Amino acid sequence: QKEVEQNSGPLSVPEGAIASLNCTYSDRVSQSFFWYRQYSGKSPELIMSIYSNGDKEDGRFTAQLNKASQYVSLLIRDSQPSDSATYLCAVRTNSGYALNFGKGTSLLVTP
Amino acid sequence: DTAVSQTPKYLVTQMGNDKSIKCEQNLGHDTMYWYKQDSKKFLKIMFSYNNKELIINETVPNRFSPKSPDKAHLNLHINSLELGDSAVYFCASSLEAPGGPLHFGNGTRLTVT
């Protein structure tokens, strides 16, 4: 299984700050990338998907993809305590029929 | 309406027993999956079915047997349960690859005593 690497954290940011979450992947041919948020005891929910190099913005969230560096990141602007969760980076596999997940970064937004 | 539903939500059983988890999706997706999330929260693919056909079968003990009666259902049967099987099992679905993201069910927390 190809690897998806994330810093496990916890990443602690004050309320209102920008949280920056990073992910690297090993499979050069990967084409689809996703960020999921998972609250404790809940299922993963999709935050962002990105398929092309560059930035993609959706509300307070911005996903950034650099295929040459095999790097994808998620920025959360104006962080809120409700953003405190584990953020999972996912990369579609070669076969296209599954996603490989990183181990997640725990984010804590302090009031 | 729940898009991906799995039952039961909690399952507590003893070693050696056989148990099943059921999953249904009403999204019209072609591909369904089983993922296992261990105590360290790592989500690992177990199986993937596309239009009732097994596509991915990762290194999973053959005590685990998926069954897909139709493309809206994917069940997971586990024989001779072991302590190490304790985890949260998530069902998910997606449009046929290379489609979009996965949509997850609420998970089944399996505890083997």
Side-chain angles (χ1 to χ4, degrees):
Chain A
Q1 184 174 350
K2 300 296 182 179
E3 290 190 357
V4 179
E5 302 280 352
Q6 293 181 257
N7 188 326
S8 62
L11 173 65
S12 183
V13 300
E15 184 175 356
I18 296 175
S20 178
L21 303 159
N22 304 316
C23 172
T24 59
Y25 59 94
S26 60
D27 188 352
R28 284 194 168 276
V29 301
S30 297
Q31 295 295 322
S32 307
F33 307 87
F34 307 92
W35 283 99
Y36 285 81
R37 177 175 63 198
Q38 187 175 25
Y39 293 111
S40 181
K42 301 295 185 182
S43 59
E45 57 176 322
L46 180 71
I47 298 296
M48 294 282 287
S49 56
I50 187 166
Y51 304 96
S52 306
N53 278 330
D55 295 358
K56 179 181 177 182
E57 187 174 321
D58 184 0
R60 296 187 296 114
F61 299 97
T62 298
Q64 300 174 318
L65 175 61
N66 184 327
K67 290 184 181 179
S69 300
Q70 295 176 236
Y71 174 89
V72 57
S73 65
L74 179 70
L75 300 177
I76 307 174
R77 288 182 299 282
D78 189 23
S79 296
Q80 301 297 309
S82 59
D83 295 327
S84 298
T86 296
Y87 289 80
L88 302 167
C89 174
V91 177
R92 190 167 287 283
T93 63
N94 270 354
S95 71
Y97 284 104
L99 297 184
N100 285 334
F101 283 83
K103 294 188 178 180
T105 297
S106 175
L107 173 66
L108 177 64
V109 180
T110 56
Chain B
D1 288 342
T2 303
V4 183
S5 60
Q6 42 181 124
T7 55
K9 187 173 174 63
Y10 299 98
L11 190 50
V12 181
T13 187
Q14 291 184 324
M15 285 175 56
N17 284 348
D18 303 338
K19 290 293 179 185
S20 293
I21 306 172
K22 295 187 175 182
C23 179
E24 174 181 5
Q25 56 93 5
N26 62 6
L27 296 168
H29 288 169
D30 299 298
T31 309
M32 296 186 72
Y33 312 79
W34 280 110
Y35 277 82
K36 178 181 180 181
Q37 189 169 46
D38 60 25
S39 57
K40 296 185 177 179
K41 308 301 182 188
F42 182 48
L43 262 176
K44 184 171 169 57
I45 181 70
M46 299 174 69
F47 301 103
S48 172
Y49 267 76
N50 180 255
N51 279 319
K52 303 192 298 175
E53 182 180 343
L54 180 64
I55 300 298
I56 291 176
N57 182 355
E58 289 292 322
T59 308
V60 176
N62 58 16
R63 298 182 294 103
F64 290 79
S65 53
K67 291 230 172 16
S68 183
D70 55 62
K71 74 174 191 176
H73 295 84
L74 180 62
N75 303 323
L76 183 65
H77 189 75
I78 316 170
N79 290 327
S80 303
L81 278 154
E82 300 178 356
L83 291 176
D85 298 332
S86 295
V88 180
Y89 293 84
F90 285 102
C91 176
S93 71
S94 71
L95 288 172
E96 185 170 3
L102 271 57
H103 299 260
F104 284 89
N106 288 330
T108 296
R109 181 174 294 277
L110 171 65
T111 303
V112 182
T113 61

